[in-house]
Amino acid sequence: MPKIPTFTAQTRMTADVADIKTQYQAPLTGGPVSQLVPVMQKLNDYYVAQQDLTEKIEAKKETFIIKGEADKFLKQEENNYNETNAIQNFTNKWEQLTKQKLSDISNSGVRNRIKQNLDLEYGDYVYNIKKQSFKALETESTNTYNSEQNTLAA
């Protein structure tokens, strides 16, 4: 029977790529390269500030659009004298609107800023709904009382 040749590895197996090391390295502490470090840092700071400002502006624009839609929801609940019902109706519409608008935004930085802005605005909307509901309740109560008095007087 013929013998199958086998081989024994001479070195260990590796997935490392062969690399070339040079003796030349640029130190950042002296020479002309060290003069570029502050300039590069300023460029980096400028770029970061520019991106931050761009995200803030985009977030403000989108927040104003969403607030415009929310104002329509607030107007719809203006004559609802049942405070709990009015808040629940507004909250359902608010959550649906914000979820839909935030899903359309691909930049996560802008999305997070919008979410923070809307979280701050939500409390104001709830306060305004409570105020409107109380006014509507007073009006409804007065109308009911007047109707009752007119019925008794007739």
Side-chain angles (χ1 to χ4, degrees):
M1 180 173 236
K3 199 166 193 183
I4 299 173
T6 57
F7 300 98
T8 307
Q10 301 289 330
T11 61
R12 69 178 180 88
M13 293 182 61
T14 180
D16 296 339
V17 178
D19 57 349
I20 300 172
K21 292 190 176 186
T22 64
Q23 61 187 13
Y24 303 111
Q25 293 183 354
L28 296 178
T29 56
V33 175
S34 66
Q35 295 173 356
L36 292 176
V37 172
V39 173
M40 296 302 286
Q41 184 64 37
K42 291 285 185 189
L43 284 174
N44 187 36
D45 292 346
Y46 173 77
Y47 177 74
V48 168
Q50 181 184 21
Q51 287 298 108
D52 187 51
L53 184 60
T54 303
E55 287 180 358
K56 281 182 183 177
I57 291 171
E58 289 178 27
K60 287 261 187 209
K61 283 182 179 180
E62 195 62 35
T63 301
F64 287 140
I65 291 170
I66 293 171
K67 283 175 61 177
E69 295 285 327
D71 287 341
K72 292 176 187 174
F73 301 153
L74 187 67
K75 185 73 172 162
Q76 290 173 353
E77 299 300 326
E78 186 175 35
N79 295 324
N80 189 348
Y81 58 86
N82 185 345
E83 182 179 297
T84 307
N85 188 12
I87 292 173
Q88 187 175 13
N89 291 342
F90 178 81
T91 301
N92 291 339
K93 292 173 187 174
W94 173 266
E95 288 175 356
Q96 187 177 25
L97 173 69
T98 55
K99 188 182 290 185
Q100 187 262 331
K101 291 289 186 178
L102 290 175
S103 67
D104 292 343
I105 297 168
S106 60
N107 186 338
S108 64
V110 173
R111 190 179 321 119
N112 289 337
R113 287 180 192 269
I114 292 171
K115 189 162 177 46
Q116 289 172 351
N117 290 343
L118 293 177
D119 287 344
L120 293 173
E121 293 295 328
Y122 179 74
D124 290 339
Y125 281 115
V126 170
Y127 172 73
N128 286 331
I129 288 174
K130 287 184 176 195
K131 221 165 59 170
Q132 287 178 351
S133 287
F134 185 74
K135 285 181 185 177
L137 182 63
E138 283 181 328
T139 304
E140 186 66 27
S141 176
T142 303
N143 290 342
T144 303
Y145 178 78
N146 288 340
S147 296
E148 186 180 318
Q149 293 301 317
N150 288 337
T151 305
L152 293 175

